[in-house]
Amino acid sequence: MTVRRDFKEPARCRPDLVIGREEVFGQAREQLARGGSVLLHGPAGIGKSTVLRALAAENGGAARTVLRCSATESESHLPFLALADLLGLVLDEVSGKLPAAQLTALESALTGRGESTLQRDGLALRLAVLSALRALAAEGPVLIVADDVQWLDSASAELLGFAARRLGETPVRMLCAVRTEGQEYDRHLRASPPDTLALRVNPLTRTQVSELLGHRGYTGLPRSTVRDIHRTSGGNPLFALELGRALSENPTPPRPGEPLPVPTSLRTLVLNRLEMLSDEARRTLLVASAGARPTPALLRAAGRENAEAETAQAAALGLLATEPEGPAVRFAHPLISAALYAEAPAHERRAAHAALSKAASDPIERARHLALATTGTDQETADSLAEAAALARDRGAPSVAASLGLLAARHTPSDGTPDPDARRLQAAEDAITAGELDLARDIARDVLTRATVPADRVRAWIIVIDTAGHAMTEVDSVFPQALADAGDDPQLLTLIHYQLTWRALLVDGDFDQAREEAAHSAALAEQAGDRYNELMALAVQAQIETLMGHPDAPATIKRALKEPQDPRVACHHNGAGYSRFRWLIMSDQLSEARATVTALLREVQRTGAVESEVHFLRGVAETELRSGHCGRALDLARESLLLARDTGIGEVASAVLTSLCEASGGDVERALELAREAVEHAERDGDQMYVSRALAALGYAQLVAGDAEGTVRSLRRVRELEHGLGITDPARGRWQGDLAEALVRIGELREAQDVVDVTREQALRLGRESVLAVVDRAEALVRAARGEPEAALAQLTSVQDRLAKLGYGLEEARTAFALVQLRTRLPGPTSYDEAARLFRRCRALPWLRQVDAATAQPAVAPQPLAPAPTADALEGLASMERQVAALVMEGATNREIAARLFISVKTVEATLTRVYRKLGIRSRVDIVRLAAGRRTK
């Protein structure tokens, strides 16, 4: 397959941008850093040259000499051309270092002034190339960059391979790229050193294609269109960009069910092969391109009597891939099918669909083909499509249902029943279920331009609100319009007040108002006899009451679970099942919580409810994290984040959970990055609830990273936000123990104890046993800092046992680590083995690294917990220094000291620095210990 070199590039093209190539880029970087060579391989347009350029730019600075060549197919017959590209500019530099015979042969080959050939000057020319590279390497490292190695002239390839095999330890690295359709890259390794690492550049994922399109300026494409681009391009970035360009230049987007328009630049890549087919074989391939899962039997049923022979002819030309394990007819690349379909005249396409509408056995396929074979409106066709959409919905294929629903609307007469807009709104709701929010929003906005029936208008407004996700400030203007359209209809009003519940939570952060809105929505639904929306409102009310620590929460959950139930609510992410899961996990019933949310996840994956799948993936991941299965939690969280970013659903929530999992079992730097992104995103959306959640994740990641001051800053903000929101259940975010621990680390013992006392009171009221255990651990750290080691040891030992019984593996391991850290400061033997074993069982790699670091520290004799300064030393302090020290002994913070002494916080900090120096201590914790020592005398 020959790729043209005159593709249009959008103005914002960044050729150095490497998207979705982190793994191959990292492997190549490591290989080059070791002094090795790299061969990138993959099909045309897959991005080898992009990776090659980025690697060359990164590694070129470390080389004294960079030699480059980029071969082309049209010049591959010219001998020594690539060699001239590589060595032509450095010939003068090395000419004085080559023997006369070698120099003569090399000059003849590079300049063409002689008649040098491999047959006549073979040995001299081979040795000349080797000597030239060695001479260049003697002055400093050499990097050879060769693109499109498949087009190297045979003479240059032979000479380069001869030298590469003999360079040995000479500092010459090769960075090459070669086009391959399969794995046949081995023969190209002959032109590379023996230790060359071959790396295949694979297709991009859908998320990566979306990112690539966005970076190249194609930002207005709906997610459903990006999905089609990914499918049609096969993940090939060059093909994806060309399809994106064609769509951006086409004022009329493809209609539902139709393939993407394929630009001429891509059609020419494949259509020249089609000219070698007979007319009948080409018609057979057109029918195959129109089908969803074509087989020889289906093609024969569609009137293609010689399907086997004609598809065999296409396979011989490389248009079809052979399927040894099945009867399917599969195109070698999705682009071939798309180009073939795009090239066919409209009447031939309709004929192909008409034949398939009779041949297909699946009712959904029959209906789709009937629609694409029919022009204009037709009630019978529309009804058939609506029935097929309902069947797809039941099968768990909401994306297919949305596509069929739009086709049904297109074929429904304006006076049909139901009317076309009602079918469009149903398609939009299916699109939401499938996670195609952009498509759903566009449909609803379109309906609102002409709908006059209040029920249709309110239904459309609700779709607009739903597609805003947590960014509800963007749709504030919608609510008054929706309320005006609803009038006094209780069934319509319940929908709006349900959405006002979420607005009160996310935008205003007002839990009391949200609870009232949810209760009002439930009452309106009951009045209207709308059991589905009554159950949904009750479920959300139960979740709000659970977060508030409201005593009515269990009763509301029971009401939400009371019969009769609606099967659509049971597995909804805002339904009673998920409310019950939240209550279970906050009540420390981890096993039952896991079973509940796993069953929910399994069901929504069966039905194709993508939004609920994102939520339930997070739920399973959270349960695994609480249970101390950090590796499993991290895998699930990453899966949830990928799905969230692919669909635009719950991105902040998934980033928050992935940050927590990364900090516990993965990469702490990645955890910090994700948490900061989540804070920024939530603040931009005005999402008060998730600002606090993101800050809690950031605080935890900072604690694991050793940044106690950063942890305190983040978690103090969480405390303020949750107080303002009215959240009183400490099991909601479980950040309180981390805040208290960080406060101990920076010497703010009184505030740490205050956090412990307030949290303990809340946890005792609600029966949150795991929270009580964690704050007891924090209190033990406070006691240790105050010079009460025996009490701290006893408390930590009790906490570890309690957490083990509750099944909180990671918290158990953290407690074991705190125990051994305390014991190292006391006389007697100590060992980190228990903490290491527990962290290893959890796969808590960041924590395990902390254990390794502590173990690697040289053993020192145990030191007394309290510093040794005497009362005389205190008396030697200046007046201001004594006052500051005295207030520190009382547990006052720097800010409190500044207020009481009418000085600045900076003055307090400077004074404390002098106190530490005079007393021979390091921190305010030592001053507190000194105070404890004085009180015992």
Side-chain angles (χ1 to χ4, degrees):
M1 185 182 291
T2 302
V3 179
R4 291 174 54 192
R5 293 182 174 274
D6 58 348
F7 286 106
K8 286 186 180 180
E9 291 284 2
R12 294 174 56 189
C13 173
R14 292 174 52 192
D16 60 331
L17 185 66
V18 179
I19 290 175
R21 305 304 186 196
E22 292 79 10
E23 183 176 358
V24 69
F25 196 86
Q27 290 176 298
R29 173 190 285 152
E30 291 178 6
Q31 173 73 356
L32 292 168
R34 289 192 294 265
S37 296
V38 172
L39 176 69
L40 303 168
H41 64 97
I46 203 66
K48 304 178 298 299
S49 296
T50 301
V51 178
L52 185 85
R53 287 193 298 268
L55 287 166
E58 182 176 284
N59 290 271
R64 178 185 177 273
T65 305
V66 179
L67 308 176
R68 300 176 185 271
C69 72
S70 183
T72 63
E73 183 179 13
S74 61
E75 299 169 341
S76 61
H77 65 287
L78 299 174
F80 306 121
L81 184 60
L83 188 67
D85 288 341
L86 289 171
L87 297 179
L89 296 178
V90 296
L91 182 59
D92 291 343
E93 183 179 346
V94 300
S95 59
K97 302 173 185 178
L98 301 184
Q102 294 181 21
L103 178 60
T104 300
L106 185 59
E107 285 180 335
S108 178
L110 296 184
T111 63
R113 287 195 293 268
E115 296 183 358
S116 179
T117 65
L118 279 180
Q119 288 73 26
R120 196 188 72 181
D121 301 325
L123 181 58
L125 196 50
R126 286 174 172 84
L127 291 175
V129 174
L130 177 60
S131 297
L133 292 175
R134 283 174 173 166
L136 290 171
E139 301 299 323
V142 176
L143 177 65
I144 297 174
V145 181
D147 200 1
D148 282 322
V149 170
Q150 74 278 1
W151 303 133
L152 283 184
D153 61 275
S154 58
S156 296
E158 169 61 27
L159 292 170
L160 200 58
F162 175 86
R165 292 190 293 274
R166 289 163 177 81
L167 285 170
E169 298 300 318
T170 306
V172 176
R173 297 171 297 167
M174 294 185 67
L175 176 58
C176 306
V178 62
R179 181 187 304 175
T180 56
E181 294 303 324
Q183 294 292 328
E184 68 282 5
Y185 61 89
D186 290 359
R187 62 188 179 90
H188 298 290
L189 287 172
R190 292 198 297 268
S192 303
D195 65 343
T196 297
L197 175 65
L199 295 171
R200 181 169 180 80
V201 182
N202 290 312
L204 298 177
T205 65
R206 190 196 309 178
T207 302
Q208 291 162 350
V209 165
S210 177
E211 184 182 357
L212 175 66
L213 292 167
H215 275 290
R216 296 298 180 95
Y218 307 130
T219 55
L221 301 174
R223 292 180 188 275
S224 56
T225 302
V226 173
R227 178 198 63 201
D228 291 340
I229 289 175
H230 176 256
R231 184 181 63 246
T232 304
S233 69
N236 185 298
L238 178 63
F239 299 169
L241 287 171
E242 283 297 294
L243 289 167
R245 180 176 63 81
L247 283 166
S248 68
E249 295 175 353
N250 187 351
T252 305
R255 295 187 299 178
E258 289 187 347
L260 296 176
V262 180
T264 304
S265 58
L266 292 185
R267 292 188 203 181
T268 55
L269 296 178
V270 296
L271 294 182
N272 57 340
R273 298 189 192 181
L274 292 174
E275 295 175 358
M276 303 171 67
L277 289 173
S278 65
D279 289 343
E280 290 302 311
R282 185 164 179 160
R283 291 192 186 95
T284 296
L285 287 196
L286 174 61
V287 175
S289 72
R293 293 175 297 276
T295 64
L298 177 65
L299 295 175
R300 286 196 304 273
R304 309 310 304 165
E305 298 177 356
N306 299 315
E308 282 87 350
E310 289 160 354
T311 54
Q313 181 187 357
L317 292 172
L319 294 167
L320 296 179
T322 56
E323 292 284 356
E325 297 180 359
V329 174
R330 186 170 65 84
F331 285 89
H333 191 281
L335 187 64
I336 298 173
S337 173
L340 175 65
Y341 188 92
E343 189 75 6
H347 70 276
E348 289 188 11
R349 294 188 210 171
R350 288 196 297 272
H353 286 296
L356 287 168
S357 70
K358 300 173 182 176
S361 59
D362 184 85
I364 292 177
E365 279 300 292
R366 286 200 304 271
R368 185 178 76 87
H369 289 303
L370 179 62
L372 295 173
T374 305
T375 57
T377 60
D378 180 80
Q379 187 67 48
E380 185 178 350
T381 299
D383 291 344
S384 175
L385 284 162
E387 291 172 7
L391 181 58
R393 198 176 304 121
D394 292 341
R395 287 182 180 179
S399 180
V400 175
S403 178
L404 291 168
L406 289 174
L407 285 171
R410 193 176 94 201
H411 288 285
T412 300
S414 57
D415 58 350
T417 304
D419 64 75
D421 280 342
R423 283 178 164 161
R424 289 187 182 94
L425 291 172
Q426 177 61 64
E429 289 164 355
D430 286 329
I432 289 177
T433 302
E436 298 178 12
L437 304 186
D438 292 346
L439 175 61
R441 185 187 303 111
D442 290 345
I443 294 170
R445 292 285 189 187
D446 175 58
V447 169
L448 284 166
T449 61
R450 58 180 172 273
T452 56
V453 178
D456 286 349
R457 292 189 61 79
V458 171
R459 191 176 176 188
W461 288 127
I462 295 301
I463 290 169
V464 171
I465 294 169
D466 266 344
T467 56
H470 283 209
M472 297 195 77
T473 54
E474 297 177 2
V475 291
D476 264 348
S477 62
V478 167
F479 287 100
Q481 299 176 73
L483 286 168
D485 285 332
D488 58 359
D489 187 326
Q491 187 154 19
L492 299 180
L493 287 171
T494 191
L495 302 174
I496 302 168
H497 283 282
Y498 177 82
Q499 296 294 342
L500 285 169
T501 301
W502 289 104
R503 190 196 177 283
L505 281 175
L506 301 176
V507 178
D508 298 332
D510 190 334
F511 274 58
D512 289 322
Q513 178 64 28
R515 179 173 176 268
E516 290 179 13
E517 290 286 1
H520 186 42
S521 178
L524 286 166
E526 184 179 18
Q527 178 185 342
D530 184 351
R531 183 61 174 163
Y532 169 80
N533 284 302
E534 180 188 2
L535 292 171
M536 290 293 293
L538 286 171
V540 174
Q541 182 183 342
Q543 287 195 50
I544 295 168
E545 290 172 349
T546 299
L547 291 174
M548 295 173 70
H550 198 284
D552 289 351
T556 306
I557 291 176
K558 287 182 181 178
R559 284 181 63 198
L561 292 171
K562 186 178 178 181
E563 295 294 341
Q565 284 292 307
D566 187 308
R568 295 173 295 168
V569 178
C571 294
H572 195 282
H573 56 276
N574 288 323
Y578 194 66
S579 296
R580 182 170 179 272
F581 160 72
R582 297 294 336 155
W583 183 79
L584 287 168
I585 199 169
M586 292 172 71
S587 302
D588 301 320
Q589 300 179 56
L590 296 182
S591 296
E592 194 170 352
R594 181 188 292 107
T596 298
V597 74
T598 301
L600 290 170
L601 176 62
R602 190 180 301 118
E603 180 60 19
V604 298
Q605 286 175 332
R606 184 189 69 80
T607 60
V610 176
E611 184 172 8
S612 293
E613 182 180 355
V614 173
H615 281 74
F616 297 156
L617 271 171
R618 287 201 305 269
V620 178
E622 182 183 353
T623 310
E624 297 293 351
L625 183 62
R626 300 292 171 217
S627 303
H629 305 146
C630 299
R632 170 70 174 151
L634 182 57
D635 290 343
L636 288 164
R638 286 172 175 170
E639 183 181 351
S640 169
L641 183 59
L642 282 174
L643 187 58
R645 287 182 169 170
D646 192 29
T647 59
I649 295 171
E651 292 181 74
V652 173
S654 293
V656 166
L657 183 65
T658 308
S659 173
L660 291 169
C661 293
E662 289 282 4
S664 298
D667 183 342
V668 180
E669 288 303 317
R670 178 63 176 153
L672 291 166
E673 178 186 348
L674 283 169
R676 290 186 178 114
E677 287 178 4
V679 172
E680 181 182 353
H681 196 153
E683 287 178 335
R684 186 169 64 247
D685 288 347
D687 185 343
Q688 296 300 306
M689 278 228 303
Y690 269 97
V691 170
S692 71
R693 284 186 179 272
L695 283 167
L698 177 59
Y700 173 66
Q702 289 168 323
L703 184 72
V704 179
D707 180 10
E709 292 183 352
T711 298
V712 170
R713 284 194 302 272
S714 297
L715 297 185
R716 278 175 176 164
R717 277 194 66 194
V718 176
R719 181 174 58 187
E720 293 170 6
L721 284 168
E722 291 203 353
H723 178 74
L725 290 169
I727 297 173
T728 61
D729 193 332
R732 183 254 188 180
R734 298 178 182 270
W735 49 265
Q736 295 83 356
D738 293 336
L739 174 56
E741 181 175 334
L743 287 165
V744 171
R745 291 189 189 183
I746 66 170
E748 301 286 358
L749 301 187
R750 191 169 77 173
E751 185 181 353
Q753 188 63 54
D754 286 345
V755 171
V756 168
D757 292 342
V758 171
T759 306
R760 179 180 287 129
E761 180 183 351
Q762 295 169 336
L764 282 169
R765 176 174 62 84
L766 297 168
R768 305 301 192 223
E769 292 297 328
S770 62
V771 175
L772 285 169
V774 168
V775 296
D776 281 354
R777 181 179 68 209
E779 185 176 57
L781 299 178
V782 174
R783 287 182 170 179
R786 286 176 172 166
E788 305 171 29
E790 298 303 328
L793 284 172
Q795 194 167 14
L796 286 172
T797 303
S798 170
V799 167
Q800 183 178 349
D801 181 61
R802 289 154 57 195
L803 288 169
K805 290 178 180 176
L806 289 168
Y808 284 77
L810 181 57
E811 297 295 351
E812 177 193 358
R814 286 180 61 179
T815 309
F817 189 31
L819 261 171
V820 70
Q821 287 178 305
L822 178 56
R823 285 177 178 143
T824 58
R825 295 155 55 190
L826 298 171
T830 58
S831 171
Y832 285 92
D833 289 350
E834 173 71 359
R837 180 184 67 81
L838 292 174
F839 281 134
R840 198 173 291 112
R841 183 183 69 183
C842 294
R843 279 189 60 193
L845 302 182
W847 288 102
L848 192 59
R849 284 191 284 271
Q850 292 190 30
V851 174
D852 292 341
T855 306
Q857 291 178 356
V860 296
Q863 299 295 319
L865 286 173
T870 64
D872 292 340
L874 288 172
E875 294 303 322
L877 297 176
S879 174
M880 177 62 73
E881 293 167 353
R882 284 199 304 273
Q883 291 180 68
V884 170
L887 290 171
V888 170
M889 291 176 184
E890 293 177 10
T893 65
N894 288 0
R895 190 174 298 279
E896 290 168 341
I897 294 171
R900 290 174 64 175
L901 298 181
F902 301 101
I903 58 178
S904 69
V905 174
K906 287 188 176 180
T907 301
V908 174
E909 293 170 350
T911 304
L912 277 174
T913 300
R914 294 194 299 273
V915 170
Y916 300 156
R917 185 173 61 252
K918 290 182 178 181
L919 296 181
I921 60 178
R922 295 183 177 181
S923 69
R924 58 191 297 133
V925 175
D926 294 329
I927 297 178
V928 175
R929 291 174 182 158
L930 176 58
R934 294 179 70 189
R935 285 194 292 269
T936 59
K937 292 181 181 178

